[in-house]
Amino acid sequence: MTTPDVSYLDCNCFAIRQAARFVSQLYERHVSQAGVTAAQFTLLAAISKNPGVTMAELADAMVMDRTTLLRALKPMQRDALVSSAPQDASSRAVALYLSEAGKKTYMLAAAHWREAQKEFEERFGRERAGELRKSLFDVTSMS
């Protein structure tokens, strides 16, 4: 039996995951100064933009399953950054909101995020970064 002539350097998944780790480390270095992870910052930003977003809506927007989203939210709920409430009396849907502490943390983290964004765009090129974002969002809209 012959081994297929495949290199990990030809693998789209590997290239995307490697780039994601690199970019995540860059953003983590910045937003961690506000006491949150890059993933938590993204969730805070999404909730800030759409107060009352349901868990299902947020999971869909983040391309996450609900169990993963719940695990990501638990530390932020524990730290009183995010609160949840039933969407309405007749629904089991849970709506998410930023607490006052969550809003303050988000504002502080956003300042650090802007520094991360600036660093990335200085290193990679602003135009290329915009093209990259568009291409990556195109990938997630394929389904």
Side-chain angles (χ1 to χ4, degrees), residues 30-58:
H30 288 274
V31 299
S32 67
Q33 296 175 59
V36 295
T37 67
Q40 289 172 333
F41 172 76
T42 303
L43 293 172
L44 291 173
I47 297 167
S48 176
K49 182 177 171 113
N50 191 9
V53 64
T54 66
M55 296 267 270
E57 292 166 338
L58 186 56

Side-chain angles (χ1 to χ4, degrees), residues 120-134:
F120 180 80
E121 290 182 353
E122 284 173 353
R123 293 173 75 173
F124 192 69
R126 186 179 184 143
E127 188 175 316
R128 284 178 66 203
E131 292 167 0
L132 177 62
R133 276 191 308 278
K134 183 188 178 315

Side-chain angles (χ1 to χ4, degrees), residues 63 88 99:
V63 189
D88 58 54
S99 66

Side-chain angles (χ1 to χ4, degrees), residues 67-141:
T67 303
T68 303
L69 175 61
L70 189 57
R71 278 195 310 268
L73 287 171
K74 279 202 183 282
M76 293 190 293
Q77 289 175 313
R78 178 199 65 220
D79 296 342
L81 302 177
V82 173
S83 62
S84 60
Q87 187 178 32
D88 58 54
S90 64
S91 172
R92 291 180 47 201
V94 175
L96 300 168
Y97 302 90
L98 295 186
S99 66
E100 285 307 311
K103 290 174 186 175
K104 289 178 184 172
T105 298
Y106 170 63
M107 295 302 289
L108 177 60
H112 292 292
W113 173 86
R114 283 189 287 280
E115 288 299 315
Q117 191 82 346
K118 179 181 173 189
E119 181 180 337
F120 180 80
E121 290 182 353
E122 284 173 353
R123 293 173 75 173
F124 192 69
R126 186 179 184 143
E127 188 175 316
R128 284 178 66 203
E131 292 167 0
L132 177 62
R133 276 191 308 278
K134 183 188 178 315
S135 293
L136 292 171
F137 285 132
D138 286 348
V139 169
T140 57
S141 69

Side-chain angles (χ1 to χ4, degrees), residues 12-22:
N12 297 315
C13 183
F14 171 74
I16 290 169
R17 290 175 66 105
Q18 183 184 53
R21 285 188 294 273
F22 176 83

